[in-house]
Each structure stands twice: as C-alpha cells, then as structure tokens.
Amino acid sequence: MSMKLQRLRIENFKLFRAPLEIGGLADGLNLFAAPNESGKSTVAEAIRAAFFERHRSSAVEHLRPWGESAVTPTVEIDFALDGKPCRLTKAFLGKKRCELTIDGKPMDGAVAEDHLAALLGYRFPGKGASTPEHMGIPGLLWIKQGTSHDISNAVGFASDHLRNALGESLGELASSNGDAVLKAVESERNELLTPAAGTPRGAYADAIKLRDELDAELNRLRADIEAYQSGVDRLSGMRRDHLRDEAARPWAALREQLTGAQQRLNEAKGLADRKTAQDAALRQATVQVNALRTQLQAMEREEATVVQREKNLLTVQEGLGKAMEELQAWEPRHAAAAQSDAAARESLRLARQAAARVAQQKTVDSLAEQLAALAQSHEKAKSEQDKVTRLQAEAQALAVPDGELKRLQRCADTLRTAQAKLDAVATALEFDLLPGAGVRVAGAAVSGLTRRTVIARTGIEIEGVGRITVLPGGTDLETLAIERDRARDELAARLQALRADSVAAVEERERQQALRKGEAVAAESVLAALAPKGLSALAADIAAREARLSEARQVLQAMPASDAQTPSTAQAESEEGAARAALATASAALNDAKVAAGNAREQVKAAEAELAAVKATLNDPQRAGRKAEAGAALTDALAQHAAVQDKVGELAQQLQTVNLPVLAQDVERLERSVRQAEATHSQRANDITRLEVELQVKGASGLEESASEKQRELDHATRRCAEFHRRSKALDHLLKLLREKRSTLARRLRAPLQKHLDHYLQILFPGAQVEVGEDLSPGRITRQGLRGAQSGEFEELSVGAREQMGVVARLAYADLLKEARKPTLLILDDALVNTDEERLKQMKRVLYDAATRHQILVFSCHPEAWRDLGVVARSIP
C-alpha cells in the first residue's frame, strides 16, 4: 500500500493567518527550500497535527497564530492510499470538526480519526496532546527538525508495527516453546546470580554468608583457645618472677642508694648557698668603692670648674656689650621708619579720597546718560504704542468675517459657471451695422460690430425696416437663467453686506488687513524691545534713575575738593607699602636687638651666680675634712673588696668539682626506680589474680568442644555453597547457549531489514556493515577508515554521522513497510544540518534512489546545497 500527498491547505495555523495552499506534489522527491522563519517547519507540523492530534483536543492552543485567541486552525490534505483518493479536513479549538473521505466514502469525528490511525500505524493518547510514543510508524518516518540523530526511541515506539512487517516468523520466535525454556532457565539462573554482574544472590548468597559467618566464628574460637594456652604459660612465668622479687626485695637496695644521693645533693647545695652569699657581699663592696671614687672625682671636677666659670663670665659679658651696641643702632632707624609710614598712610588716604570723588563724578555722568537714554526710549515707546493702536484699529475695520471670502469666491465661481452654461445654450446675435443704422435690441440701441446673447423672447427693431422677434429654442434656458440670477443675487447680497463692489475688492481688503496686522506685530516687537515690561514700568525706571542721580549729585557735592598735587592711588599705595615694609623690617630688627640684649643680660647674671656658687663651695671649711674622710673610706673599701673576692674564688674552685644537675638527676632517677620497682611488684600480684580468674572461666566454657561443633557446621555450609556454585555455573552456561541460538535465529529473521539497510549503507559508506539490534534499531557499525577497519556503537558516532545513519535507517524501514504493503511517506525537516558537503553528496544519491519507491518531502533553509538533487526547489508561498 502506497501513500502519496497531493495537496495541502492550511489556514489560521501558527505563522499562516491567511490561507496557504500547496498543490502539485510529486510522487517521488519534493524539495521545499526557504529562509528561516518562512514557515517550512510550520507546514510539516500542520501535516503531523492533521494526523496525530484529536480534533476535539484542548491541548493544541499552540497551533493558533500568535496573538489570536479566537480563530480556528484548519488543515486540509488531499492524498492517495493505494491509489484511492482521500481527503482529510481537521479544524481545531474554535469550530472543531474532522472529516475523512476515502474513495468517496465519508467518515467524521473520532471514528474517522481511529480508522486513519489503524491504516497508518499510530494511536492517540487517552487525553492531552499527542507525544512521540503515540506516533508509531509516521512518527518514525516523519523526521522533526533536530531529531534525525535520535533513532532508538522512534524505533521503540514503532517496534510493534515493524515486527509485524517482518512477518509471522519473528512473532513465532517471541512466543515459541524455546523462548519459554530460555525464560525458565534465565529465571532459575537469576535466582542464584544477578542478571548484570553475575554475583551470587538469594539462597546462594545466603549460603555464602552463613559459610563466612561460621568460618569467622570458628577462627574466633581458635583464637580463644590459643589465648587460653598462652595465658597458662604467662601465669606460670608471672608467679615465678613474683616469688623471686619477694625474696630479693630490689626496691630496698634502691632506697639505700637514694638516701646517699640525697645527702650528697644537700651538701653540694650548702656550698652553692655560701658562694651565693659571698657573691652578694662582693657586689656590695664593689658598689661602695665605686660610690667613694665618684665622690672624690666630683670634688676634683668642682676645683677645675672655677676657671671654666670665669671664662664663661667674660664671654657672656662681651656678648652683652655687642647686643647693647646693636640695640642703640636700630632705635633711631625705627623712629625714622615710623615717621615715613605715617606720612605714606596720610598720602594714601588723600589719594583714595580724590579717587572716590572721581568715581562718584563718573557715577553721576553715567546715571545722567542712562536717564537721557531711558527718556528717549520712553518717547519712542509711546510713539510705537500709538502706532500699534492705530494699526490694530485699521485691521479691525478691514476685517472680513471668517470664511466669508471663501463663500464669496464660491458664489462668484457659481455665477461664472451658471453664466457659462447659459451662454452655451443661449441664442447669440452678432451685429455688423453700417454707420447711422438704427437698430434696437430689447429697446436698447446697438451700433457697429457687437454681439448679444438672448435667453428669452427678444424684439429687434430696425428703423425703416420693422421688428424681428427672436425666440430662443433651448429647453433649459429658463432654469439656467434662474440659477444665474440666484447666484448673482446671492453674490450681490454678500457684497452689499460687506459694503464692497466686487470680490476682488474684498480680496484686496483682506490683503490690506493682513498687512495692517503684520505692521502691528512689527510695531509690538519694537515696543517690546523698547519697553519689555511696559510703559508704566519704563516710567517707574526713569523716576528711580532720577532719584539715584539726585542722590549721587548730593554725595559728590559733599566730598572735599581734591588737590592737584595729590598723587595717584596706585602711586600712594606703592609708597605706603614700601614704608610699611621698611617699618616692619626696622621693628623686627629692633625687637631682635632688644631680645638679644635681654638674653645677654640674663646670661651674665647666670654666669655670675654659677661662679659665686662654685667659689662658695670651694671656700667651705668642712670640704677638706669630707675629702679626707672619703679617701680613707675608699682605702678600707678596697681592702674589704679584695678579701671578699678571694673568698668567692675559693668557693668557685670547690664548686667546680661538684655537678649539681647530675646530683639532682641521680636523686630523681633513684626515686623513680624505687616507685617503679614497688609498682611493678604490686601490679604483677594484681595481674596474677585477674589471669587466674580468666583462665578458670575459659577452662569451664568448653572451647575445644565448641570449636569441633563449629567445624562440622562449616563443612556442611561449604558443601552447600559448592552445590550452588556448580548449579549457577551450569545454568549460566546453558542460558548463554540458548541466547546464542536465539540470536542466530533472530538475525536470520531480521535479514529483510538487514538487506535494505545494507543497500543504502553501501551508497553512504561503501564496504561498511551494520548490525540490527533485537529492538530493530541500528547497532554496531564497522567501516573502513584511515587506520583500517573501525567498529563502534551507533551512539558513539558523531552527531552528523548519526543524522545520516538515522535517515538511512528510516529509508530501510520504509522499504520494509512497503514490502509488507504498509503506507509509507517520508518527511525530512532540516534532517541533515550537521552533514558536510562530501557526505551530503552521498545522501543525495541515497534520497534519489529511495524516491523511486516512496514519496519524500525535504524541507531545507539552504537551497544552494540541494541544487543537484534532481528536482526543482519550491518556496513556501
């Protein structure tokens, strides 16, 4: 059974609001090439929605165009099933409906949907939107964008239909007695071993666990027996050692040694204490000697200080004389600088007073100029104000009501039109009269060359001839005359209301009004420039300036007159600055001289006081006695220091023969030895008692009998584990043999699918081989590479290679289904986007070959890549 799409029409479907119709589809290859976002995938999705989605589903809101919540997505497809014409129409969401016609037989609703699903090999979900697991054979052959490399899931969802296409043999293989035996063997094997790793489980694992527990318990009993025997031997040795120490009492001899060591340590410590006391006495004697020496040295320095003090006094007296001379030199200079500074300040005051008068005079002159300019502006502003008033009044007088000119112009146009119409149908009279001819038309005389238009009964009187009556023959003359008269009367009335003679006069009047308005606006601009805040504000400003001018003149008159000999302010300020700087310099120098003279006086006083104090000390009658006493005391202190120093040396020699740290360590060592000997003896007695009790308990528990019983239980458990091991190995081997036999049979039954896969594979990868898995999906692939034959699973291939193999596999499934008389249609929506140029050439050969047996719709956004496919690329309208 073949399936061929012939026409597709979609409306209000996602990207397409307006109806889109695609017809004239070929039985083989159909290439649609268009840019991104042009609707290729939308067309493919419309085909899937028409077949896979229930028309009453509420889970297809995404099919509506963006922003449209009330429209009804509609898809209509014309196709042929095994040569029979069919039409499927589906409308979603709004006005829901499903109509199916096959070879003239109509069906609708869910019945039509279920019938079509049974024919094509898919099913509908219980509720909600359709998913890949429901799409069956079409879901496998209609490749959605970005899913061509994912083949295993699609094959799994269509596996039932593919198995049916392979024939009854594969079904018999799945339901044969051999398969039941395989399952039984596998079940028994899996009761003893895990399916994946083959590790023990169930009763086998329990037997191993029991064996290991018994083995551990037996080892523990054996360890207890060995520990009991070792304890008996250890108890005998401990009793022997304890009796030996009771007889020898080694701790008593150690205590005697400790007593001797303690006595020697005490004697050594007494010697050290005496040396410490002598060291302290030596330090005291040293301090006394140093103090007496210091006292005598100070007395000697005092005697030498008198000469130095006298020299210092002479030096500071000379400094005082120089400071007084400096002070006397600066006092007259400072007085002269002060007098010059006062004269410069007075000159600066007079100069600033004269400059203030000049500045005030400039202020008066400036205010006078400003007042004159304001007065002139005020006069001009008053003139401009009068001009604005006059021009506004003239413009108001010339004003024409809004729209009246346009109405006059329309009336004039109407009159001209009516007159033209009337002239067109009226009777024209042309006269070319000789001089003196007496002719009257409608009572009015005419002469020479003239023309008259007659619209009513008119008499022509010719002097000497008679009367001619003209009767115009137009049927609309009277109506046109009435229209002309009405238009003329309306125009005359409007002109009279405006007191004008003609429309041109009114137009001129409006032009003059516009000129007056423009002149008024210009005058207002001038007025605004002259008096921005108005005439009253300008007048107030003039009054304020007059008041300021009067006040400035009064201030000027109150200022004293300036002397012509008065220097300029800059000169006076320069002279005052120089005088001030000279005064500051003189003041600083005078102050420094005063400070230096004061310091010199104080230094003289201090030097005189120091000299007097030293002389008073040296002239003290008791000083000689103190010096003699200090000398005698120093002699005694030196003798005492020498005696103590000799004693310290003697004690130091004695201490060099004694090692205090070693003596202290001997005492510590012997004390620890005594404690350890006594503690060891006591602890051994306690250990003997505890070990005797433990051995009595273990001897009463029957360790040998328990070990024998555990050994018997362990032997039984070991035999049971061996039985389980032999049984599991046998079942595992049997299961492996059965599976190999079954796999051989399955490969033979999958040969038709293998044949189609090999056909396409030789075009894509010459010399390559692919295995078909038990789930009918591509498995291990072997092909020739740069390094020889290479093998790998399908999932290990690159994304591009998996895309190509995914398309090839789907074409093989289509061939298999076609042989089983199942409907086939292939849709490739950008299915080879990761394929390089060389591999794409091979895929075009594959598609061209498959198109001789199937209808294939190819959607791509790269038209240049498909130019050599052998068909003309179609765009999406």
Side-chain angles (χ1 to χ4, degrees):
M1 181 186 295
S2 61
M3 177 179 180
K4 309 289 185 182
L5 295 189
Q6 298 168 339
R7 185 184 69 91
L8 169 68
R9 184 181 187 277
I10 59 177
E11 182 178 0
N12 291 321
F13 193 96
K14 297 188 76 169
L15 185 64
F16 301 105
R17 289 177 171 83
L20 168 69
E21 183 167 331
I22 299 174
L25 295 176
D27 289 346
L29 275 173
N30 294 271
L31 174 61
F32 295 88
N36 290 329
E37 302 294 332
S38 60
K40 303 184 303 298
S41 296
T42 302
V43 171
E45 186 173 359
I47 297 173
R48 285 193 294 270
F51 288 97
F52 295 150
E53 301 294 349
R54 291 280 192 187
H55 71 287
R56 292 193 173 277
S57 174
S58 58
V60 291
E61 189 69 32
H62 62 284
L63 299 183
R64 278 181 168 146
W66 293 336
E68 300 286 348
S69 59
V71 300
T72 299
T74 305
V75 182
E76 184 177 281
I77 301 176
D78 288 350
F79 59 101
L81 275 178
D82 205 16
K84 298 177 182 178
C86 306
R87 172 171 290 182
L88 172 64
T89 303
K90 270 195 183 179
F92 302 95
L93 297 173
K95 300 177 181 179
K96 304 175 183 178
R97 63 190 176 95
C98 173
E99 298 174 353
L100 174 65
T101 302
I102 299 178
D103 198 18
K105 298 179 180 179
M107 287 180 281
D108 59 12
V111 174
E113 291 174 333
D114 293 338
H115 181 73
L116 198 56
L119 286 175
L120 300 184
Y122 63 92
R123 58 191 177 89
F124 290 100
K127 61 179 180 178
S130 183
T131 60
E133 63 180 303
H134 304 110
M135 296 179 184
I137 293 296
L140 174 64
L141 302 183
W142 300 355
I143 303 176
K144 192 175 181 180
Q145 190 177 41
T147 64
S148 55
H149 64 282
D150 184 11
I151 185 69
S152 58
N153 289 332
V155 172
F157 299 145
S159 60
D160 291 342
H161 302 281
L162 291 174
R163 292 183 187 277
N164 292 336
L166 287 172
E168 299 297 329
S169 298
L170 190 58
E172 291 173 359
L173 174 64
S175 60
S176 64
N177 292 331
D179 202 19
V181 171
L182 187 145
K183 289 184 178 179
V185 171
E186 184 178 12
S187 176
E188 291 191 20
R189 181 262 187 195
N190 290 343
E191 287 179 0
L192 299 177
L193 299 173
T194 57
T199 56
R201 65 187 297 185
Y204 186 11
D206 293 341
I208 293 174
K209 181 180 179 183
L210 177 60
R211 181 195 63 187
D212 294 342
E213 290 175 351
L214 290 172
D215 186 53
E217 184 66 20
L218 181 59
N219 290 333
R220 185 184 62 78
L221 288 172
R222 288 172 178 169
D224 289 345
I225 292 172
E226 291 178 2
Y228 176 78
Q229 294 172 351
S230 175
V232 171
D233 295 338
R234 188 157 56 92
L235 178 60
S236 176
M238 290 171 65
R239 284 173 175 172
R240 183 174 62 253
D241 293 340
H242 191 67
L243 292 174
R244 185 188 64 233
D245 287 347
E246 282 286 346
R249 297 179 61 81
W251 53 85
L254 290 173
R255 281 196 177 278
E256 291 178 1
Q257 294 178 21
L258 175 60
T259 302
Q262 187 66 52
Q263 185 177 359
R264 289 191 296 274
L265 178 60
N266 292 337
E267 291 175 356
K269 285 183 177 180
L271 186 63
D273 293 339
R274 289 198 301 274
K275 183 178 181 300
T276 301
Q278 291 300 321
D279 287 340
L282 180 61
R283 287 193 296 273
Q284 291 175 359
T286 301
V287 170
Q288 186 177 5
V289 169
N290 291 335
L292 291 171
R293 284 176 176 170
T294 301
Q295 183 179 357
L296 290 173
Q297 290 172 356
M299 288 181 175
E300 292 174 356
R301 285 195 299 272
E302 287 175 351
E303 294 172 357
T305 302
V306 173
V307 178
Q308 183 65 36
R309 291 286 186 269
E310 290 174 349
K311 290 182 179 179
N312 289 343
L313 178 59
L314 291 175
T315 301
V316 295
Q317 286 175 345
E318 291 177 359
L320 176 60
K322 292 180 179 179
M324 292 304 296
E325 290 176 359
E326 185 78 12
L327 178 60
Q328 292 170 2
W330 275 108
E331 284 178 345
R333 295 178 185 177
H334 179 267
Q339 185 177 359
S340 298
D341 180 66
R345 282 188 282 108
E346 178 62 20
S347 177
L348 177 61
R349 184 186 67 80
L350 294 175
R352 286 176 176 173
Q353 180 177 290
R357 181 176 179 84
V358 172
Q360 187 66 24
Q361 182 62 51
K362 290 181 179 180
T363 301
V364 169
D365 295 343
S366 175
L367 287 173
E369 291 176 1
Q370 292 176 12
L371 185 61
L374 287 175
Q376 185 178 2
S377 297
H378 186 261
E379 291 300 325
K380 289 182 180 180
K382 287 172 60 178
S383 175
E384 291 297 327
Q385 180 65 55
D386 296 341
K387 184 178 179 181
V388 168
T389 303
R390 176 176 56 77
L391 289 172
Q392 288 177 344
E394 291 177 357
Q396 185 65 30
L398 293 171
V400 177
D402 292 342
E404 188 63 24
L405 178 59
K406 290 184 178 181
R407 286 191 288 271
L408 278 172
Q409 291 170 342
R410 284 197 298 271
C411 287
D413 291 342
T414 302
L415 178 60
R416 282 193 294 272
T417 301
Q419 185 64 49
K421 291 179 179 180
L422 186 61
D423 291 344
V425 298
T427 300
L429 300 178
E430 293 182 355
F431 296 94
D432 187 5
L433 302 177
L434 296 172
V439 179
R440 301 176 67 87
V441 178
V446 295
S447 61
L449 184 63
T450 185
R451 176 186 174 86
R452 295 291 179 87
T453 301
V454 179
I455 61 174
R457 182 186 179 93
T458 302
I460 302 174
E461 298 175 357
I462 302 174
E463 184 178 353
V465 176
R467 178 182 178 88
I468 299 174
T469 301
V470 179
L471 300 175
T475 57
D476 296 331
L477 281 175
E478 185 176 354
T479 301
L480 292 174
I482 293 173
E483 289 180 359
R484 192 269 318 271
D485 293 343
R486 184 183 297 114
R488 184 176 55 199
D489 294 343
E490 182 180 358
L491 178 61
R494 290 186 180 279
L495 290 173
Q496 185 178 3
L498 293 175
R499 297 188 297 278
D501 297 332
S502 64
V503 175
V506 176
E507 291 174 345
E508 177 62 20
R509 180 174 167 181
E510 187 168 73
R511 189 180 67 79
Q512 290 296 327
Q513 183 199 19
L515 289 175
R516 298 295 187 278
K517 284 184 177 181
E519 292 175 359
V521 170
E524 286 177 344
S525 300
V526 174
L527 178 61
L530 294 171
K533 297 181 180 179
L535 286 173
S536 57
L538 184 59
D541 193 10
I542 292 173
R545 297 296 174 94
E546 288 175 345
R548 287 177 58 191
L549 178 60
S550 176
E551 181 181 356
R553 284 172 176 168
Q554 292 176 3
V555 172
L556 180 62
Q557 291 175 0
M559 288 182 173
S562 60
D563 189 356
Q565 300 299 322
T566 302
S568 65
T569 303
Q571 181 182 352
E573 287 178 348
S574 175
E575 292 175 353
E576 191 274 338
R580 185 171 65 252
L583 178 59
T585 302
S587 297
L590 179 62
N591 186 60
D592 292 343
K594 289 180 178 179
V595 171
N599 290 336
R601 291 190 191 97
E602 293 298 324
Q603 290 175 359
V604 169
K605 290 180 181 179
E608 290 173 346
E610 290 175 354
L611 179 59
V614 171
K615 287 182 176 180
T617 301
L618 292 176
N619 294 331
D620 186 2
Q622 298 179 358
R623 183 175 181 279
R626 290 198 299 272
K627 185 175 180 181
E629 290 176 359
L634 178 60
T635 302
D636 294 341
L638 288 172
Q640 184 182 359
H641 181 272
V644 173
Q645 192 171 18
D646 292 341
K647 186 64 176 176
V648 169
E650 181 183 351
L651 291 173
Q653 279 185 341
Q654 293 177 6
L655 281 174
Q656 286 180 355
T657 61
V658 178
N659 194 333
L660 278 177
V662 173
L663 293 176
Q665 290 174 359
D666 288 343
V667 171
E668 181 182 359
R669 175 174 52 80
L670 291 171
E671 284 179 346
R672 288 185 177 181
S673 298
V674 170
R675 288 196 299 269
Q676 288 172 358
E678 292 175 343
T680 300
H681 184 70
S682 177
Q683 182 64 36
R684 188 187 295 118
N686 294 334
D687 291 343
I688 288 171
T689 302
R690 186 178 66 256
L691 189 54
E692 287 174 347
V693 174
E694 290 179 357
L695 292 176
Q696 288 176 2
V697 172
K698 289 182 178 180
S701 60
L703 293 175
E704 296 289 346
E705 293 81 359
S706 298
S708 299
E709 181 62 27
K710 291 296 179 184
Q711 183 64 55
R712 288 192 294 273
E713 294 179 4
L714 177 60
D715 293 341
H716 179 268
T718 302
R719 289 193 298 273
R720 182 168 174 80
C721 287
E723 292 175 1
F724 280 127
H725 176 73
R726 289 192 297 272
R727 178 174 175 80
S728 64
K729 288 297 182 183
L731 290 171
D732 193 47
H733 182 64
L734 179 59
L735 179 61
K736 198 173 296 183
L737 292 175
L738 290 173
R739 283 177 173 171
E740 290 176 356
K741 294 295 184 181
R742 186 179 186 279
S743 178
T744 302
L745 179 59
R747 280 196 300 272
R748 189 173 70 252
L749 295 175
R750 288 194 298 272
L753 178 58
Q754 185 74 55
K755 177 189 69 174
H756 297 300
L757 270 174
D758 291 342
H759 169 74
Y760 293 114
L761 194 62
Q762 296 311 308
I763 301 176
L764 182 61
F765 301 124
Q769 295 178 350
V770 61
E771 298 177 4
V772 179
E774 291 190 7
D775 61 351
L776 303 182
S777 64
R780 192 169 190 81
I781 298 176
T782 303
R783 55 179 174 166
Q784 294 297 321
L786 297 176
R787 301 178 181 177
Q790 298 176 348
S791 296
E793 296 295 330
F794 174 80
E795 297 299 331
E796 296 174 357
L797 297 174
S798 67
V799 175
R802 276 187 284 147
E803 277 185 352
Q804 299 145 25
M805 283 302 302
V807 174
V808 164
R810 287 173 170 88
L811 296 175
Y813 298 141
D815 288 347
L816 181 67
L817 292 167
K818 186 175 183 65
E819 289 179 353
R821 297 191 56 77
K822 303 292 184 183
T824 59
L825 167 68
L826 290 111
I827 300 177
L828 279 64
D829 185 4
D830 271 334
L832 295 170
V833 293
N834 294 300
T835 299
D836 60 39
E837 184 177 356
E838 291 301 321
R839 198 69 60 76
L840 185 60
K841 290 180 180 178
Q842 302 301 105
M843 288 303 301
K844 293 173 191 174
R845 291 178 175 179
V846 169
L847 292 175
Y848 194 83
D849 177 76
T852 61
R853 295 176 293 280
H854 312 283
Q855 186 183 42
I856 304 176
L857 307 184
V858 178
F859 296 90
S860 175
C861 58
H862 301 287
E864 67 281 356
W866 297 90
R867 288 172 182 159
D868 56 348
L869 186 59
V871 295
V872 178
R874 304 178 60 173
S875 61
I876 303 298

